[in-house]
Amino acid sequence: MAKAFEYSMKIPFDMSDVNGFIKIPQLILLSLQVSGMQSIELGMSDMYILENYNLVWIITDYNMKIDRLPVFDEKITIETYAMSHNRLFCYRAFNIKDEAGNTIIEMVATFVLMDRDTRKVHPVMSEITAAFDSEFSKTMLRGPRFKELEVGVEQEYRVRFYDLDMNGHVNNSKYLDWVFEVMGADFLTHHVPKKVHLKYVKEVLAGGVIISQYEQEGLKTQHQISSDGHINAQAEIEWEEVEEKGWTYGK
């Protein structure tokens, strides 16, 4: 059984949106920090893997199911473990729990190892996965089939310096900022996601302009991030109204 790791905290003001809910891009960043804490504890930190194997972790997919979003000043616990892996992909689970121990958000992130110099995917190494007691499985987790968007609402965003990570590429949580932001303030004030699937296709580099585009059918939206004529990321989101869910902060 995979080794689990937990970290508890209260949702701070700067991670909360207008409604008082945690911002999902911030929640993803926080979850990745917790998985990094486990990696350090097990002697397999990002720095160790880079220095010893010249490899870096790259995230290819997020699949998130949301029962409800935690709110400002609420205490949550993030549980994570390396659930399984195959020859190329590693799957890590994240469970966000409330103070009573109820799971309110489930997320699975798909990772691959990449050679830092060649930028090519590297086969999963047993020396790394063994530290996490990750189970080998030939099963591959597949997300929805995304279509290329040709029409719909779109907005341009310039890639800023603070959007970049240490590798000089856009931080993966920033893609979700662009995905959500294009929906507009009124929609985001009155709707919350209940399912999010995000797939990364190609890295966005520094100094450019991206186009965030979406098509909407009822309470389901299809999203596309593109730059220089290439698709960089795709997403599918199912939404529900804040009032129907009874989530309005402070009520």
Side-chain angles (χ1 to χ4, degrees):
M1 181 178 292
K3 297 174 182 175
F5 184 87
E6 291 187 348
Y7 177 78
S8 299
M9 61 168 288
K10 285 191 173 183
I11 306 300
F13 181 83
D14 62 351
M15 285 190 180
S16 308
D17 66 15
V18 171
N19 288 327
F21 305 131
I22 191 170
K23 302 170 186 174
I24 292 181
Q26 295 291 323
L27 178 61
I28 287 179
L29 279 177
L30 182 61
S31 298
L32 292 178
Q33 289 174 13
V34 174
S35 68
M37 292 164 64
Q38 182 188 34
S39 298
I40 292 171
E41 182 178 86
L42 296 176
M44 282 294 167
S45 69
D46 291 352
M47 188 59 66
Y48 177 86
I49 291 174
L50 176 61
E51 291 178 347
N52 288 272
Y53 304 108
N54 199 41
L55 300 175
V56 294
W57 287 111
I58 300 295
I59 299 173
T60 64
D61 291 81
Y62 286 113
N63 191 7
M64 183 181 295
K65 297 179 181 179
I66 302 167
D67 181 58
R68 73 169 181 87
L69 290 171
V71 299
F72 166 63
D73 205 38
E74 179 178 2
K75 184 178 180 181
I76 62 169
T77 297
I78 299 176
E79 176 194 51
T80 185
Y81 54 92
M83 54 188 290
S84 66
H85 67 278
N86 51 48
R87 193 177 73 86
L88 292 177
F89 298 101
C90 295
Y91 304 107
R92 177 175 279 274
F94 297 88
N95 297 314
I96 315 302
K97 302 178 182 180
D98 64 15
E99 196 163 4
N102 302 306
T103 299
I104 57 177
I105 299 174
E106 296 176 277
M107 180 173 71
V108 174
T110 303
F111 291 77
V112 297
L113 285 166
M114 185 180 74
D115 186 286
R116 188 183 186 185
D117 296 330
T118 66
R119 310 302 291 177
K120 293 183 179 180
V121 172
H122 192 282
V124 173
M125 301 180 66
S126 60
E127 300 96 310
I128 296 175
T129 57
F132 300 88
D133 286 345
S134 172
E135 175 187 352
F136 179 83
S137 173
K138 293 183 179 179
T139 302
M140 295 181 63
L141 303 183
R142 301 185 185 275
R145 288 183 174 271
F146 294 100
K147 65 176 183 178
E148 182 174 349
L149 303 187
E150 298 179 356
V151 296
V153 181
E154 64 180 50
Q155 177 69 48
E156 287 189 356
Y157 296 94
R158 183 165 295 279
V159 180
R160 302 172 302 176
F161 178 80
Y162 288 112
D163 295 334
L164 307 177
D165 58 21
M166 291 175 61
N167 293 320
H169 300 116
V170 172
N171 186 283
N172 65 76
S173 69
K174 186 61 189 178
Y175 293 79
L176 270 179
D177 277 337
W178 292 326
V179 164
F180 289 131
E181 190 68 30
V182 74
M183 299 301 299
D186 183 67
F187 183 90
L188 294 175
T189 300
H190 296 95
H191 297 82
V192 288
K194 63 177 182 179
K195 290 183 180 179
V196 178
H197 195 111
L198 176 66
K199 177 183 179 182
Y200 298 101
V201 180
K202 183 180 177 64
E203 294 172 313
V204 173
L205 303 179
V209 173
I210 68 96
I211 297 174
S212 179
Q213 188 176 8
Y214 78 93
E215 293 180 1
Q216 183 173 357
E217 183 176 343
L219 290 177
K220 180 178 286 189
T221 52
Q222 299 278 343
H223 297 261
Q224 182 172 292
I225 303 295
S226 57
S227 62
D228 298 324
H230 300 285
I231 295 175
N232 300 98
Q234 296 169 296
E236 181 178 280
I237 304 177
E238 292 183 30
W239 304 84
E240 54 192 341
E241 295 184 10
V242 172
E243 292 82 358
E244 289 184 0
K245 189 69 176 179
W247 281 7
T248 305
Y249 176 69
K251 288 188 177 180

